[in-house]
Each structure stands twice: as structure tokens, then as C-alpha cells.
Amino acid sequence: MHAYLNHVPAVVLRLDRNPFHHGTLGAVRSLGRKGVEVHAVVEAGGGPMGRSRYLRAVHPGPAGGLDPEAPEALLECLTGVSERIGRPAVLIAMDDLSAIAVSRVAPMLRERFRIPHQPDNLPARVADKAELSRLCARWDVPHPETVIPASGAEAAEAAWRLGLPVIAKWSRPWLLPAGADGLRSTMLVHTTAEARRLYERSAEAGSRLLLQRFLPAGPDTDWFFHGAFARGGRPLLAGSGRKELSWPVRTGLTAVGRWLPDPVVEEAGLRLAERLGYQGILDLDFRRDELGCFRLVDFNPRPGAQFRLFADSAGLDVVQAMYLDLTGQQVPQPSGGPGRVFIAENYALLARVRGGSMPRRPAAVPADPAGPAGASASSGPGADQRPAPKRAPKRSAERGRVETAWFAADDLLPFLAMLGALLGRGAGKGVRALRGVPEQGRRTALAVVRAPRQRGRNQAPTGSGGADGAGGAGGAGGAGGSTGSAAPASRPVPPEASAEPDELVTR
């Protein structure tokens, strides 16, 4: 595999302080193996990723962290990194906060970095859960029914009307204060009292509260779409996959995923990118409801941590495709890929121990769109129109190569560092357990690892929707409004009973 031309350096940026973010390591290895000089702007030392042989240097992020609404500190930080490198470099943001902050200072960095053109604060708009709900309604992309309450009373009434439990989200999770007790970007709410209390903390959270109909998790329900796009939303490389194991179980990130082409998921991702005129890398999350409808639940304006799942037989992935496009090189036509499996070893181990493997069930068969069958990846800088999504391959094609997040025979030190840290954490937790934990602590720990009870799963659908939101397209919403399919008729708010301990699952 030849090195890329020009040898333009690359800077991988991650402002989220997560030393176990395997996606950052994946980007370092992906470009480094092609002969690119790779730098990283992360927390001090870089964690296990900082041990990679493919990393030229680790640069500290903004001193004291970054205020998302005042990214001047990032401008100063990246200017210093550029001066140390000594020549222009490709800049790749690996988390939402980084993508949003970079877009706000991009005009002042154009001479130092090659950055995707994303006007009008686009990353912040698509990462905003309230704005995403409106985009889905405008462009007829199915989305869970969503309510944006304007008062605590409205929050309580909406939670009861949507059907408890409901999903609670903060529209701009990157504004959540660090270490805020009880505030998570996404939570499962079981009582109207919880919904009311959350709304009353909106000022502390820094953004609006959204309540969404709960879509039960299960085998074959969680899907994702990754893509790299040139100007105007033209696809360079794109593909869809299924989350087969997650951590925390059924609610968290991909511990085990498989590249499986699905025409509905791919068409939704390609259509959104085209209409937004999106340039850059994106990661979309979908949940399939009980009627087989894929509903978009998250839009991440950066690579997903499992982006290396979508690497073809030559190793081409979305990070490499973006690098080639930004340096004026041609993106090769991808060959092979569907059926590959991605495993994040640390999270897969935890998920297997705590939740076991999720049983599979036959997938609902989507309607085949017109067009030829083939692989899912779409590519070609010379294409003048968006390729149509392709049909999924036969089951025999699902047997693909396994990509591990940490272990690599040519780069062992990050894996060993991760393993040492994981065992150290496990030993520490074991010591604390031997010393004894208060009863309430045990109940809370038990709650975190148990899956939520899927109430109403066996109930008949109501109106145009279904139990727990199965069916119906998304709709527009605003303050005090709702989005998605028509909701059941409003019912009296019941007594605000406490949630059972095993249902207090947060994400």
C-alpha cells in the first residue's frame, strides 16, 4: 500500500476528555499506515493512543478546557500547533465539541489547516437535537415523536402522553457542565415527577429539554450510517451497519458492529447530506421500531468511533477519503467491505460479561428500490449525481474480516496500555467492592447495567403510531410543541410514583 502523495500532515483533534476513545486511535493508524505524518491534540499524554508508533506528536488541548460558546482558546491552541508543525495540515475533528468549535474558528484557520467547508454553523445545527427534529420533519425523515416542553407542567404531561418510560435529551449536550450531578446527555425517564424535575434544571443544563417516545432496544434494532462527503454533499465513501452489541448494554456505543448494506438507511443518510450540502464526515444513528421503520435518533458531525468498520479491501475508510479530498487527490473506487465486523475489545468484554450476546432475529425485509444490486459503498469524485443505494448482499457475503479497535500486530503498545489500564480499573473496583458498598450504592450500580423494562411492548398500536412509537414519520416541533407521528389522546397525569431501581438506566 503506497503512501499518499504530497505528504500533507494531519492533525487529529479531540476535546472530549476520553483517553479510551478508540476512534482517535483508528484515525491515527489509518493515516499513519499510509505514510501521513499524524499529530494529535488531546488530553495530556493522549492515553493509550499516545503510545501508537504512527503518531508523530501529542499536543495538549486548550489550557483549562474549552467554552463551546467562546472557542477563541481553541484558535490560539491550533495556531501554536500549526507553528510547531511548520506547514499546513489537514484537521480532523473526532468529537462533537471539536467539530462545532472548529467550524466557528475555521475562517481564521484556512491558511494553516485544510478543513471541510461547513457554513452557517452547520455542525452545531445538526448536533442540536431540537434542530435535528425540525430537519427530519421538513425532509420527511422518520424520527421518534418528540416534545419540547415550555414548562415543568408541560414536561410532566408530555411524558405521560408519550407513554412512560420516555427518553429525555438535552438539545445541546456539549453545553452540559462537567460533573453536574444527575445530568446526562440522554436519560430514560420513568415518572412524570422526573420529567418535571429535569425541566426545572434547564438553565443549569444550558439548553432545552426534549422528551421522545421510547423505542425498545433489541436484536437488529440499532443501525448506523457513516459517510465522507465532498462539497455539495457528494459522497466519497458511505455505508450502513448494524450494532450487534453495545456498552452499556442496549443503550451505549458500538462494542460489536457489522457492515450490512441497507437501502433505507443509506438513502436516508445520502439524502440528508445532499440537502444540507454537507462536506466532511458524518455518523448517523438509527433505531428500527416495532413496525420496521428506521428512525433517525442522532446526527454526529464527525467520524463515529467505529468508523474503521467501513474500510474496503485496500483499507480505504472515511478518514482517508476525507484526507484525499482535502489534499486534492482522487478517492479510489472502493472494492469489497460489506460483511466486515468491528470489535472494541474492552467494551465487548464488558458487554458480554454483563449482558451476554443479544439473540438475533430475522430482519424485516425493506422494499427494494429501483436500481442495480452491488456493494454499499459509493465513491467517485467524478460522479455528477448521487448514486442510488444498493441492495444488501446475500448472507454468504456477511463473512468478512474482523477489525479490532485496539489490537494490531503492527502497533501493539496502545493495546497493551489499554489492557493495563482496564485491569487496573478492575482491580480498583474489586478492592472497593471487598470493602463494602452502601445498600443504595449497590442498587444504583445494579440499575445502571440492567436493561429497561419495555412497558407496553405487547400493547396494540394506537392511532397511526405503534406501541412505544413504532411507525409514523417525524414532524416539526418548537417550544411546547411535538414532532413525529400523531400521539395518543391526552390522559390524566397519574400519581408521580417512584421509578423502580432496575429501571433507572441512564446513558
Side-chain angles (χ1 to χ4, degrees):
M1 294 188 293
H2 65 280
Y4 289 151
L5 301 177
N6 302 331
H7 299 289
V8 177
V11 175
V12 176
L13 172 66
R14 191 190 72 241
L15 296 175
D16 177 20
R17 294 185 176 274
N18 176 11
F20 291 96
H21 188 269
H22 50 269
T24 309
L25 174 62
V28 169
R29 285 173 170 170
S30 176
L31 294 173
R33 286 170 178 150
K34 293 294 186 179
V36 178
E37 178 185 316
V38 185
H39 297 252
V41 178
V42 291
E43 68 280 345
M49 180 271 300
R51 304 292 187 88
S52 175
R53 61 177 291 199
Y54 295 110
L55 185 64
R56 174 64 64 90
V58 174
H59 306 268
L66 179 72
D67 179 356
E69 299 303 307
E72 292 77 14
L74 179 62
L75 177 62
E76 181 180 351
C77 170
L78 291 178
T79 298
V81 171
S82 174
E83 290 175 351
R84 288 192 289 275
I85 294 175
R87 59 193 192 278
V90 170
L91 182 61
I92 301 172
M94 296 301 301
D95 63 291
D96 289 350
L97 176 57
S98 298
I100 292 165
V102 166
S103 73
R104 290 175 176 170
V105 297
M108 293 166 279
L109 290 173
R110 294 291 179 194
E111 294 183 0
R112 298 180 178 273
F113 292 96
R114 302 186 184 188
I115 308 170
H117 180 66
Q118 296 179 328
D120 303 323
N121 204 21
L122 183 58
R125 287 169 49 212
V126 296
D128 187 312
K129 314 299 183 187
E131 180 66 18
L132 178 63
S133 182
R134 283 191 282 269
L135 287 176
C136 288
R138 185 184 312 160
W139 293 332
D140 197 28
V141 176
H143 185 66
E145 184 183 354
T146 302
V147 174
I148 307 175
S151 67
E154 282 190 17
E157 197 279 333
W160 179 243
R161 179 170 58 84
L162 288 170
L164 295 166
V166 296
I167 298 294
K169 297 180 178 181
W170 300 106
S171 64
R172 297 179 179 180
W174 60 91
L175 296 180
L176 286 172
D181 183 38
L183 289 180
R184 304 282 192 278
S185 61
T186 303
M187 294 158 283
L188 192 64
V189 170
H190 291 273
T191 70
T192 56
E194 286 181 84
R196 184 190 298 270
R197 287 194 297 268
L198 274 178
Y199 178 85
E200 291 168 353
R201 300 185 68 181
S202 296
E204 180 185 358
S207 62
R208 290 176 293 177
L209 177 69
L210 283 75
L211 298 175
Q212 284 184 348
R213 183 177 296 281
F214 172 63
L215 303 176
D220 200 38
T221 58
D222 291 316
W223 289 68
F224 44 83
F225 172 89
H226 278 53
F229 295 86
R231 278 181 179 263
R234 178 171 56 82
L236 301 168
L237 183 73
S240 63
R242 182 177 66 199
K243 186 184 297 186
E244 302 200 339
L245 201 62
S246 60
W247 180 256
V249 176
R250 299 188 183 91
T251 64
L253 55 78
T254 301
V256 179
R258 185 183 297 272
W259 183 350
L260 289 177
D262 186 278
V264 176
V265 173
E266 291 172 352
E267 173 61 23
L270 293 169
R271 186 170 68 248
L272 270 175
E274 181 185 50
R275 290 181 173 177
L276 288 168
Y278 190 90
Q279 183 187 14
I281 301 171
L282 57 77
D283 166 31
L284 308 179
D285 292 322
F286 293 83
R287 178 159 285 187
R288 200 178 68 160
D289 67 21
E290 294 169 325
L291 297 182
C293 177
F294 288 101
R295 296 183 180 273
L296 178 64
V297 294
D298 264 323
F299 190 128
N300 304 302
R302 40 75 182 172
Q306 77 277 31
F307 79 90
R308 280 291 300 168
L309 171 64
F310 299 101
D312 74 353
S313 57
L316 179 68
D317 56 41
V318 293
V319 169
Q320 290 183 24
M322 200 71 252
Y323 175 90
L324 290 172
D325 183 67
L326 291 173
T327 55
Q329 301 178 66
Q330 185 173 2
V331 179
Q333 181 72 24
S335 59
R340 279 168 52 85
V341 174
F342 178 88
I343 300 176
E345 302 95 318
N346 51 336
Y347 298 121
L349 175 63
L350 291 170
R352 295 287 187 190
V353 170
R354 294 299 182 99
S357 59
M358 295 193 298
R360 298 184 184 180
R361 61 177 169 81
V365 180
D368 281 339
S376 74
S378 51
S379 172
D384 56 3
Q385 64 180 26
R386 193 187 71 216
K390 312 297 192 296
R391 294 192 183 106
K394 296 181 179 180
R395 179 166 294 276
S396 60
E398 293 185 12
R399 300 188 184 94
R401 189 166 65 86
V402 173
E403 173 91 14
T404 50
W406 294 99
F407 179 81
D410 63 338
D411 192 28
L412 278 175
L413 288 181
F415 171 74
L416 296 176
M418 179 279 295
L419 191 61
L422 184 65
L423 293 175
R425 285 188 175 190
K429 289 183 179 180
V431 169
R432 288 192 295 272
L434 290 174
R435 291 175 177 173
V437 182
E439 178 65 24
Q440 180 59 39
R442 288 198 293 272
R443 288 163 63 90
T444 303
L446 180 66
V448 171
V449 300
R450 287 189 180 176
R453 294 182 181 176
Q454 296 172 359
R455 299 177 185 169
R457 188 166 183 142
N458 300 322
Q459 296 175 357
T462 304
S464 62
D468 290 321
S482 66
T483 69
S485 56
S490 179
R491 297 173 288 173
V493 177
E496 295 173 340
S498 300
E500 298 179 37
D502 63 339
E503 294 176 333
L504 293 173
V505 181
T506 61
R507 178 172 159 189

